[in-house]
PDB file of all heavy atoms in Angstrom:
ATOM      1  N   LYS K  22       1.467  10.342   9.452  1.00  0.00           N
ATOM      2  CA  LYS K  22       1.915   9.007   9.038  1.00  0.00           C
ATOM      3  C   LYS K  22       2.483   9.059   7.617  1.00  0.00           C
ATOM      4  O   LYS K  22       3.554   8.525   7.341  1.00  0.00           O
ATOM      5  CB  LYS K  22       0.754   8.020   9.078  1.00  0.00           C
ATOM      6  CG  LYS K  22       1.042   6.693   8.353  1.00  0.00           C
ATOM      7  CD  LYS K  22      -0.120   5.740   8.357  1.00  0.00           C
ATOM      8  CE  LYS K  22      -1.091   5.953   7.255  1.00  0.00           C
ATOM      9  NZ  LYS K  22      -0.752   5.338   5.966  1.00  0.00           N
ATOM     10  N   ASN K  23       1.782   9.743   6.725  1.00  0.00           N
ATOM     11  CA  ASN K  23       2.178   9.720   5.310  1.00  0.00           C
ATOM     12  C   ASN K  23       3.339  10.645   4.985  1.00  0.00           C
ATOM     13  O   ASN K  23       3.780  10.694   3.837  1.00  0.00           O
ATOM     14  CB  ASN K  23       0.965  10.007   4.422  1.00  0.00           C
ATOM     15  CG  ASN K  23       0.009   8.826   4.426  1.00  0.00           C
ATOM     16  OD1 ASN K  23       0.317   7.775   5.001  1.00  0.00           O
ATOM     17  ND2 ASN K  23      -1.142   8.994   3.807  1.00  0.00           N
ATOM     18  N   LEU K  26       6.592   8.023   6.909  1.00  0.00           N
ATOM     19  CA  LEU K  26       7.079   6.840   6.180  1.00  0.00           C
ATOM     20  C   LEU K  26       8.140   7.206   5.131  1.00  0.00           C
ATOM     21  O   LEU K  26       9.244   6.654   5.147  1.00  0.00           O
ATOM     22  CB  LEU K  26       5.899   6.082   5.572  1.00  0.00           C
ATOM     23  CG  LEU K  26       4.848   5.595   6.593  1.00  0.00           C
ATOM     24  CD1 LEU K  26       3.708   4.862   5.886  1.00  0.00           C
ATOM     25  CD2 LEU K  26       5.457   4.713   7.670  1.00  0.00           C
ATOM     26  N   ARG K 102       2.582  -1.356   2.373  1.00  0.00           N
ATOM     27  CA  ARG K 102       2.948  -1.148   0.967  1.00  0.00           C
ATOM     28  C   ARG K 102       3.916   0.008   0.748  1.00  0.00           C
ATOM     29  O   ARG K 102       4.702  -0.020  -0.178  1.00  0.00           O
ATOM     30  CB  ARG K 102       1.708  -1.022   0.123  1.00  0.00           C
ATOM     31  CG  ARG K 102       0.761   0.068   0.543  1.00  0.00           C
ATOM     32  CD  ARG K 102      -0.435   0.110  -0.378  1.00  0.00           C
ATOM     33  NE  ARG K 102       0.022   0.186  -1.748  1.00  0.00           N
ATOM     34  CZ  ARG K 102      -0.013  -0.850  -2.597  1.00  0.00           C
ATOM     35  NH1 ARG K 102      -0.478  -2.003  -2.201  1.00  0.00           N
ATOM     36  NH2 ARG K 102       0.426  -0.713  -3.814  1.00  0.00           N
ATOM     37  N   ALA K 103       3.925   0.991   1.604  1.00  0.00           N
ATOM     38  CA  ALA K 103       4.843   2.125   1.380  1.00  0.00           C
ATOM     39  C   ALA K 103       6.292   1.667   1.488  1.00  0.00           C
ATOM     40  O   ALA K 103       7.189   2.319   0.966  1.00  0.00           O
ATOM     41  CB  ALA K 103       4.562   3.238   2.383  1.00  0.00           C
ATOM     42  N   TRP K 106       8.742   1.654  -1.381  1.00  0.00           N
ATOM     43  CA  TRP K 106       9.475   2.838  -1.786  1.00  0.00           C
ATOM     44  C   TRP K 106      10.982   2.753  -1.476  1.00  0.00           C
ATOM     45  O   TRP K 106      11.759   3.562  -1.984  1.00  0.00           O
ATOM     46  CB  TRP K 106       8.884   4.084  -1.124  1.00  0.00           C
ATOM     47  CG  TRP K 106       7.450   4.324  -1.479  1.00  0.00           C
ATOM     48  CD1 TRP K 106       6.721   3.737  -2.472  1.00  0.00           C
ATOM     49  CD2 TRP K 106       6.545   5.218  -0.805  1.00  0.00           C
ATOM     50  NE1 TRP K 106       5.432   4.199  -2.474  1.00  0.00           N
ATOM     51  CE2 TRP K 106       5.297   5.110  -1.472  1.00  0.00           C
ATOM     52  CE3 TRP K 106       6.659   6.092   0.263  1.00  0.00           C
ATOM     53  CZ2 TRP K 106       4.187   5.858  -1.072  1.00  0.00           C
ATOM     54  CZ3 TRP K 106       5.541   6.847   0.651  1.00  0.00           C
ATOM     55  CH2 TRP K 106       4.330   6.722  -0.006  1.00  0.00           C
ATOM     56  N   ILE K 128      -8.454  -1.189  -0.983  1.00  0.00           N
ATOM     57  CA  ILE K 128      -9.071  -0.061  -1.705  1.00  0.00           C
ATOM     58  C   ILE K 128      -8.776  -0.096  -3.201  1.00  0.00           C
ATOM     59  O   ILE K 128      -9.260   0.746  -3.948  1.00  0.00           O
ATOM     60  CB  ILE K 128      -8.616   1.301  -1.101  1.00  0.00           C
ATOM     61  CG1 ILE K 128      -7.116   1.527  -1.260  1.00  0.00           C
ATOM     62  CG2 ILE K 128      -9.036   1.401   0.349  1.00  0.00           C
ATOM     63  CD1 ILE K 128      -6.675   2.894  -0.735  1.00  0.00           C
ATOM     64  N   ARG K 131      -3.740  -0.971  -6.789  1.00  0.00           N
ATOM     65  CA  ARG K 131      -2.525  -0.244  -6.346  1.00  0.00           C
ATOM     66  C   ARG K 131      -1.286  -0.624  -7.181  1.00  0.00           C
ATOM     67  O   ARG K 131      -0.288  -1.110  -6.671  1.00  0.00           O
ATOM     68  CB  ARG K 131      -2.261  -0.512  -4.864  1.00  0.00           C
ATOM     69  CG  ARG K 131      -3.414  -0.274  -3.924  1.00  0.00           C
ATOM     70  CD  ARG K 131      -3.859   1.160  -3.791  1.00  0.00           C
ATOM     71  NE  ARG K 131      -2.897   2.051  -3.205  1.00  0.00           N
ATOM     72  CZ  ARG K 131      -2.714   2.236  -1.907  1.00  0.00           C
ATOM     73  NH1 ARG K 131      -3.412   1.523  -1.063  1.00  0.00           N
ATOM     74  NH2 ARG K 131      -1.829   3.094  -1.466  1.00  0.00           N
ATOM     75  N   PRO K 132      -1.337  -0.478  -8.513  1.00  0.00           N
ATOM     76  CA  PRO K 132      -0.164  -0.824  -9.325  1.00  0.00           C
ATOM     77  C   PRO K 132       1.031   0.085  -9.008  1.00  0.00           C
ATOM     78  O   PRO K 132       0.864   1.149  -8.396  1.00  0.00           O
ATOM     79  CB  PRO K 132      -0.655  -0.588 -10.757  1.00  0.00           C
ATOM     80  CG  PRO K 132      -1.794   0.349 -10.639  1.00  0.00           C
ATOM     81  CD  PRO K 132      -2.431   0.077  -9.306  1.00  0.00           C
ATOM     82  N   VAL K 133       2.219  -0.353  -9.412  1.00  0.00           N
ATOM     83  CA  VAL K 133       3.420   0.463  -9.186  1.00  0.00           C
ATOM     84  C   VAL K 133       4.134   0.766 -10.511  1.00  0.00           C
ATOM     85  O   VAL K 133       5.304   1.154 -10.526  1.00  0.00           O
ATOM     86  CB  VAL K 133       4.398  -0.244  -8.206  1.00  0.00           C
ATOM     87  CG1 VAL K 133       3.832  -0.247  -6.799  1.00  0.00           C
ATOM     88  CG2 VAL K 133       4.737  -1.654  -8.687  1.00  0.00           C
ATOM     89  N   ASP K 134       3.408   0.597 -11.620  1.00  0.00           N
ATOM     90  CA  ASP K 134       4.021   0.793 -12.951  1.00  0.00           C
ATOM     91  C   ASP K 134       4.651   2.174 -13.112  1.00  0.00           C
ATOM     92  O   ASP K 134       5.712   2.313 -13.737  1.00  0.00           O
ATOM     93  CB  ASP K 134       2.986   0.543 -14.050  1.00  0.00           C
ATOM     94  CG  ASP K 134       1.755   1.422 -13.883  1.00  0.00           C
ATOM     95  OD1 ASP K 134       1.214   1.486 -12.761  1.00  0.00           O
ATOM     96  OD2 ASP K 134       1.349   2.073 -14.845  1.00  0.00           O
ATOM     97  N   LEU K 135       4.046   3.190 -12.518  1.00  0.00           N
ATOM     98  CA  LEU K 135       4.586   4.560 -12.682  1.00  0.00           C
ATOM     99  C   LEU K 135       5.843   4.759 -11.834  1.00  0.00           C
ATOM    100  O   LEU K 135       6.750   5.487 -12.223  1.00  0.00           O
ATOM    101  CB  LEU K 135       3.509   5.590 -12.324  1.00  0.00           C
ATOM    102  CG  LEU K 135       2.228   5.518 -13.159  1.00  0.00           C
ATOM    103  CD1 LEU K 135       1.244   6.593 -12.745  1.00  0.00           C
ATOM    104  CD2 LEU K 135       2.547   5.615 -14.654  1.00  0.00           C
ATOM    105  N   LEU K 136       5.931   4.049 -10.704  1.00  0.00           N
ATOM    106  CA  LEU K 136       7.144   4.133  -9.884  1.00  0.00           C
ATOM    107  C   LEU K 136       8.305   3.473 -10.644  1.00  0.00           C
ATOM    108  O   LEU K 136       9.423   3.988 -10.680  1.00  0.00           O
ATOM    109  CB  LEU K 136       6.942   3.439  -8.533  1.00  0.00           C
ATOM    110  CG  LEU K 136       6.097   4.195  -7.498  1.00  0.00           C
ATOM    111  CD1 LEU K 136       4.624   4.162  -7.829  1.00  0.00           C
ATOM    112  CD2 LEU K 136       6.313   3.654  -6.095  1.00  0.00           C
ATOM    113  N   LYS K 172      -0.320  10.427 -14.606  1.00  0.00           N
ATOM    114  CA  LYS K 172      -1.309  10.791 -13.591  1.00  0.00           C
ATOM    115  C   LYS K 172      -0.555  11.104 -12.294  1.00  0.00           C
ATOM    116  O   LYS K 172       0.577  10.658 -12.106  1.00  0.00           O
ATOM    117  CB  LYS K 172      -2.342   9.685 -13.371  1.00  0.00           C
ATOM    118  CG  LYS K 172      -1.801   8.381 -12.802  1.00  0.00           C
ATOM    119  CD  LYS K 172      -2.905   7.494 -12.226  1.00  0.00           C
ATOM    120  CE  LYS K 172      -3.686   6.746 -13.234  1.00  0.00           C
ATOM    121  NZ  LYS K 172      -4.532   5.679 -12.644  1.00  0.00           N
ATOM    122  N   VAL K 173      -1.172  11.889 -11.445  1.00  0.00           N
ATOM    123  CA  VAL K 173      -0.494  12.286 -10.210  1.00  0.00           C
ATOM    124  C   VAL K 173      -0.331  11.065  -9.310  1.00  0.00           C
ATOM    125  O   VAL K 173      -1.289  10.326  -9.062  1.00  0.00           O
ATOM    126  CB  VAL K 173      -1.317  13.372  -9.475  1.00  0.00           C
ATOM    127  CG1 VAL K 173      -0.744  13.616  -8.088  1.00  0.00           C
ATOM    128  CG2 VAL K 173      -1.318  14.672 -10.288  1.00  0.00           C
ATOM    129  N   THR K 174       0.889  10.810  -8.860  1.00  0.00           N
ATOM    130  CA  THR K 174       1.129   9.694  -7.933  1.00  0.00           C
ATOM    131  C   THR K 174       2.032  10.178  -6.803  1.00  0.00           C
ATOM    132  O   THR K 174       3.149  10.643  -7.036  1.00  0.00           O
ATOM    133  CB  THR K 174       1.753   8.474  -8.632  1.00  0.00           C
ATOM    134  OG1 THR K 174       2.432   7.666  -7.661  1.00  0.00           O
ATOM    135  CG2 THR K 174       2.720   8.836  -9.740  1.00  0.00           C
ATOM    136  N   VAL K 175       1.526  10.074  -5.568  1.00  0.00           N
ATOM    137  CA  VAL K 175       2.292  10.494  -4.394  1.00  0.00           C
ATOM    138  C   VAL K 175       3.534   9.614  -4.261  1.00  0.00           C
ATOM    139  O   VAL K 175       4.664  10.115  -4.196  1.00  0.00           O
ATOM    140  CB  VAL K 175       1.419  10.422  -3.120  1.00  0.00           C
ATOM    141  CG1 VAL K 175       2.264  10.588  -1.860  1.00  0.00           C
ATOM    142  CG2 VAL K 175       0.309  11.463  -3.186  1.00  0.00           C
ATOM    143  N   GLY K 176       3.353   8.295  -4.289  1.00  0.00           N
ATOM    144  CA  GLY K 176       4.490   7.376  -4.151  1.00  0.00           C
ATOM    145  C   GLY K 176       5.475   7.550  -5.284  1.00  0.00           C
ATOM    146  O   GLY K 176       6.698   7.554  -5.069  1.00  0.00           O
ATOM    147  N   GLY K 177       4.956   7.763  -6.487  1.00  0.00           N
ATOM    148  CA  GLY K 177       5.847   7.965  -7.634  1.00  0.00           C
ATOM    149  C   GLY K 177       6.710   9.199  -7.453  1.00  0.00           C
ATOM    150  O   GLY K 177       7.915   9.186  -7.749  1.00  0.00           O
ATOM    151  N   HIS K 179       7.506  10.611  -4.554  1.00  0.00           N
ATOM    152  CA  HIS K 179       8.475  10.349  -3.478  1.00  0.00           C
ATOM    153  C   HIS K 179       9.694   9.587  -4.007  1.00  0.00           C
ATOM    154  O   HIS K 179      10.843   9.969  -3.766  1.00  0.00           O
ATOM    155  CB  HIS K 179       7.812   9.499  -2.363  1.00  0.00           C
ATOM    156  CG  HIS K 179       6.949  10.267  -1.401  1.00  0.00           C
ATOM    157  ND1 HIS K 179       7.256  11.513  -0.899  1.00  0.00           N
ATOM    158  CD2 HIS K 179       5.758   9.936  -0.836  1.00  0.00           C
ATOM    159  CE1 HIS K 179       6.295  11.923  -0.081  1.00  0.00           C
ATOM    160  NE2 HIS K 179       5.373  10.976  -0.009  1.00  0.00           N
ATOM    161  N   GLU K 200       1.068  17.113  -2.642  1.00  0.00           N
ATOM    162  CA  GLU K 200       0.666  16.913  -1.247  1.00  0.00           C
ATOM    163  C   GLU K 200       1.698  17.511  -0.295  1.00  0.00           C
ATOM    164  O   GLU K 200       2.914  17.474  -0.598  1.00  0.00           O
ATOM    165  CB  GLU K 200       0.495  15.423  -0.968  1.00  0.00           C
ATOM    166  CG  GLU K 200      -0.884  14.834  -1.317  1.00  0.00           C
ATOM    167  CD  GLU K 200      -1.208  14.802  -2.807  1.00  0.00           C
ATOM    168  OE1 GLU K 200      -0.335  15.163  -3.616  1.00  0.00           O
ATOM    169  OE2 GLU K 200      -2.351  14.467  -3.149  1.00  0.00           O
ATOM    170  N   THR K 316      -8.694  11.991  -0.970  1.00  0.00           N
ATOM    171  CA  THR K 316      -9.353  10.682  -0.950  1.00  0.00           C
ATOM    172  C   THR K 316      -9.291  10.070   0.452  1.00  0.00           C
ATOM    173  O   THR K 316     -10.205   9.341   0.849  1.00  0.00           O
ATOM    174  CB  THR K 316      -8.703   9.730  -1.973  1.00  0.00           C
ATOM    175  OG1 THR K 316      -9.280   8.433  -1.834  1.00  0.00           O
ATOM    176  CG2 THR K 316      -7.203   9.617  -1.795  1.00  0.00           C
ATOM    177  N   ASP K 317      -8.278  10.418   1.226  1.00  0.00           N
ATOM    178  CA  ASP K 317      -8.127   9.835   2.572  1.00  0.00           C
ATOM    179  C   ASP K 317      -9.129  10.406   3.570  1.00  0.00           C
ATOM    180  O   ASP K 317      -9.186   9.940   4.708  1.00  0.00           O
ATOM    181  CB  ASP K 317      -6.707  10.053   3.105  1.00  0.00           C
ATOM    182  CG  ASP K 317      -5.698   9.232   2.324  1.00  0.00           C
ATOM    183  OD1 ASP K 317      -6.121   8.386   1.521  1.00  0.00           O
ATOM    184  OD2 ASP K 317      -4.491   9.455   2.484  1.00  0.00           O
ATOM    185  N   ILE K 339      -9.848   8.714  -7.248  1.00  0.00           N
ATOM    186  CA  ILE K 339      -8.459   8.260  -7.124  1.00  0.00           C
ATOM    187  C   ILE K 339      -8.365   6.738  -7.101  1.00  0.00           C
ATOM    188  O   ILE K 339      -7.559   6.151  -7.824  1.00  0.00           O
ATOM    189  CB  ILE K 339      -7.805   8.832  -5.831  1.00  0.00           C
ATOM    190  CG1 ILE K 339      -7.968  10.342  -5.753  1.00  0.00           C
ATOM    191  CG2 ILE K 339      -6.342   8.387  -5.738  1.00  0.00           C
ATOM    192  CD1 ILE K 339      -7.121  11.151  -6.686  1.00  0.00           C
ATOM    193  N   PHE K 340      -9.165   6.069  -6.286  1.00  0.00           N
ATOM    194  CA  PHE K 340      -9.079   4.604  -6.169  1.00  0.00           C
ATOM    195  C   PHE K 340     -10.357   3.966  -6.675  1.00  0.00           C
ATOM    196  O   PHE K 340     -11.443   4.538  -6.553  1.00  0.00           O
ATOM    197  CB  PHE K 340      -8.824   4.198  -4.708  1.00  0.00           C
ATOM    198  CG  PHE K 340      -7.446   4.566  -4.226  1.00  0.00           C
ATOM    199  CD1 PHE K 340      -7.277   5.583  -3.304  1.00  0.00           C
ATOM    200  CD2 PHE K 340      -6.319   3.921  -4.738  1.00  0.00           C
ATOM    201  CE1 PHE K 340      -6.004   5.943  -2.873  1.00  0.00           C
ATOM    202  CE2 PHE K 340      -5.052   4.283  -4.314  1.00  0.00           C
ATOM    203  CZ  PHE K 340      -4.895   5.296  -3.381  1.00  0.00           C
ATOM    204  N   GLU K 341     -10.205   2.726  -7.196  1.00  0.00           N
ATOM    205  CA  GLU K 341     -11.361   2.103  -7.853  1.00  0.00           C
ATOM    206  C   GLU K 341     -12.265   1.344  -6.885  1.00  0.00           C
ATOM    207  O   GLU K 341     -13.346   0.925  -7.236  1.00  0.00           O
ATOM    208  CB  GLU K 341     -10.893   1.161  -8.978  1.00  0.00           C
ATOM    209  CG  GLU K 341     -10.155  -0.100  -8.544  1.00  0.00           C
ATOM    210  CD  GLU K 341      -8.633   0.097  -8.465  1.00  0.00           C
ATOM    211  OE1 GLU K 341      -8.188   1.247  -8.249  1.00  0.00           O
ATOM    212  OE2 GLU K 341      -7.914  -0.892  -8.580  1.00  0.00           O
ATOM    213  N   ARG K 343     -12.903   2.224  -3.221  1.00  0.00           N
ATOM    214  CA  ARG K 343     -12.780   2.833  -1.893  1.00  0.00           C
ATOM    215  C   ARG K 343     -14.150   3.136  -1.290  1.00  0.00           C
ATOM    216  O   ARG K 343     -14.370   4.192  -0.704  1.00  0.00           O
ATOM    217  CB  ARG K 343     -11.885   4.080  -1.958  1.00  0.00           C
ATOM    218  CG  ARG K 343     -11.318   4.396  -0.578  1.00  0.00           C
ATOM    219  CD  ARG K 343     -10.221   5.405  -0.583  1.00  0.00           C
ATOM    220  NE  ARG K 343      -9.489   5.308   0.678  1.00  0.00           N
ATOM    221  CZ  ARG K 343      -8.413   6.026   0.977  1.00  0.00           C
ATOM    222  NH1 ARG K 343      -7.946   6.899   0.109  1.00  0.00           N
ATOM    223  NH2 ARG K 343      -7.782   5.878   2.132  1.00  0.00           N
ATOM    224  N   LEU K 382      -7.929   1.256   6.762  1.00  0.00           N
ATOM    225  CA  LEU K 382      -7.572   2.320   7.702  1.00  0.00           C
ATOM    226  C   LEU K 382      -8.598   3.443   7.764  1.00  0.00           C
ATOM    227  O   LEU K 382      -9.194   3.739   8.800  1.00  0.00           O
ATOM    228  CB  LEU K 382      -6.200   2.873   7.298  1.00  0.00           C
ATOM    229  CG  LEU K 382      -5.728   4.141   7.950  1.00  0.00           C
ATOM    230  CD1 LEU K 382      -5.725   4.021   9.453  1.00  0.00           C
ATOM    231  CD2 LEU K 382      -4.356   4.501   7.438  1.00  0.00           C
ATOM    232  N   ARG K 383      -8.893   4.057   6.647  1.00  0.00           N
ATOM    233  CA  ARG K 383      -9.755   5.249   6.709  1.00  0.00           C
ATOM    234  C   ARG K 383     -11.219   4.842   6.827  1.00  0.00           C
ATOM    235  O   ARG K 383     -12.021   5.536   7.446  1.00  0.00           O
ATOM    236  CB  ARG K 383      -9.537   6.130   5.480  1.00  0.00           C
ATOM    237  CG  ARG K 383      -8.099   6.495   5.215  1.00  0.00           C
ATOM    238  CD  ARG K 383      -7.403   7.165   6.392  1.00  0.00           C
ATOM    239  NE  ARG K 383      -5.993   7.461   6.080  1.00  0.00           N
ATOM    240  CZ  ARG K 383      -5.143   7.981   6.927  1.00  0.00           C
ATOM    241  NH1 ARG K 383      -5.524   8.238   8.167  1.00  0.00           N
ATOM    242  NH2 ARG K 383      -3.892   8.210   6.597  1.00  0.00           N
TER     243      ARG K 383
HETATM  244  C1  EPZ W   1      -0.447   7.635  -1.050  1.00  0.00           C
HETATM  245  O1  EPZ W   1      -0.592   6.342  -1.606  1.00  0.00           O
HETATM  246  C2  EPZ W   1      -0.965   7.535   0.383  1.00  0.00           C
HETATM  247  N1  EPZ W   1      -0.150   6.587   1.140  1.00  0.00           N
HETATM  248  C3  EPZ W   1      -2.425   7.077   0.371  1.00  0.00           C
HETATM  249  O2  EPZ W   1      -2.891   7.072   1.719  1.00  0.00           O
HETATM  250  C4  EPZ W   1      -3.241   8.106  -0.414  1.00  0.00           C
HETATM  251  O3  EPZ W   1      -4.588   7.690  -0.461  1.00  0.00           O
HETATM  252  C5  EPZ W   1      -2.672   8.231  -1.834  1.00  0.00           C
HETATM  253  O4  EPZ W   1      -1.265   8.584  -1.762  1.00  0.00           O
HETATM  254  C6  EPZ W   1      -3.386   9.289  -2.650  1.00  0.00           C
HETATM  255  O5  EPZ W   1      -3.290  10.524  -2.008  1.00  0.00           O
HETATM  256  C7  EPZ W   1       1.013   7.021   1.709  1.00  0.00           C
HETATM  257  O6  EPZ W   1       1.400   8.167   1.568  1.00  0.00           O
HETATM  258  C8  EPZ W   1       1.776   6.013   2.511  1.00  0.00           C
HETATM  259  P1  EPZ W   1      -0.791   7.239  -5.479  1.00  0.00           P
HETATM  260  P2  EPZ W   1       0.080   6.026  -3.051  1.00  0.00           P
HETATM  261  O7  EPZ W   1       0.429   6.663  -6.105  1.00  0.00           O
HETATM  262  O8  EPZ W   1       1.308   6.783  -3.223  1.00  0.00           O
HETATM  263  C9  EPZ W   1      -2.542   4.996  -9.289  1.00  0.00           C
HETATM  264  C10 EPZ W   1      -3.765   6.140   3.648  1.00  0.00           C
HETATM  265  O9  EPZ W   1      -4.937   5.861   3.936  1.00  0.00           O
HETATM  266  N2  EPZ W   1      -1.169   4.549  -9.541  1.00  0.00           N
HETATM  267  O10 EPZ W   1      -0.896   8.724  -5.338  1.00  0.00           O
HETATM  268  O11 EPZ W   1       0.132   4.536  -3.193  1.00  0.00           O
HETATM  269  C11 EPZ W   1      -3.131   4.410  -8.013  1.00  0.00           C
HETATM  270  O12 EPZ W   1      -3.661   3.111  -8.253  1.00  0.00           O
HETATM  271  C12 EPZ W   1      -3.229   5.804   2.278  1.00  0.00           C
HETATM  272  O13 EPZ W   1      -2.955   6.722   4.415  1.00  0.00           O
HETATM  273  C13 EPZ W   1      -0.897   3.847 -10.720  1.00  0.00           C
HETATM  274  O14 EPZ W   1      -1.776   3.598 -11.539  1.00  0.00           O
HETATM  275  O15 EPZ W   1      -1.046   6.581  -4.044  1.00  0.00           O
HETATM  276  C14 EPZ W   1      -4.193   5.411  -7.656  1.00  0.00           C
HETATM  277  O16 EPZ W   1      -5.335   5.152  -8.455  1.00  0.00           O
HETATM  278  C15 EPZ W   1      -4.253   5.047   1.431  1.00  0.00           C
HETATM  279  N3  EPZ W   1       0.372   3.417 -10.954  1.00  0.00           N
HETATM  280  C16 EPZ W   1      -3.585   6.746  -8.098  1.00  0.00           C
HETATM  281  O17 EPZ W   1      -2.549   6.411  -9.042  1.00  0.00           O
HETATM  282  C17 EPZ W   1       1.388   3.672 -10.071  1.00  0.00           C
HETATM  283  O18 EPZ W   1       2.533   3.270 -10.341  1.00  0.00           O
HETATM  284  C18 EPZ W   1      -2.947   7.547  -6.966  1.00  0.00           C
HETATM  285  O19 EPZ W   1      -2.077   6.676  -6.273  1.00  0.00           O
HETATM  286  C19 EPZ W   1       1.089   4.373  -8.871  1.00  0.00           C
HETATM  287  C20 EPZ W   1      -0.188   4.815  -8.639  1.00  0.00           C
END
Side-chain angles (χ1 to χ4, degrees):
K22 166 182 86 83
N23 289 354
L26 301 180
R102 57 179 308 105
W106 300 347
I128 64 177
R131 308 294 295 275
V133 289
D134 56 312
L135 301 181
L136 284 74
K172 65 163 78 167
V173 170
T174 157
V175 169
H179 280 320
E200 274 67 4
T316 174
D317 291 350
I339 308 287
F340 290 109
E341 68 269 26
R343 202 168 198 177
L382 169 56
R383 307 305 178 183

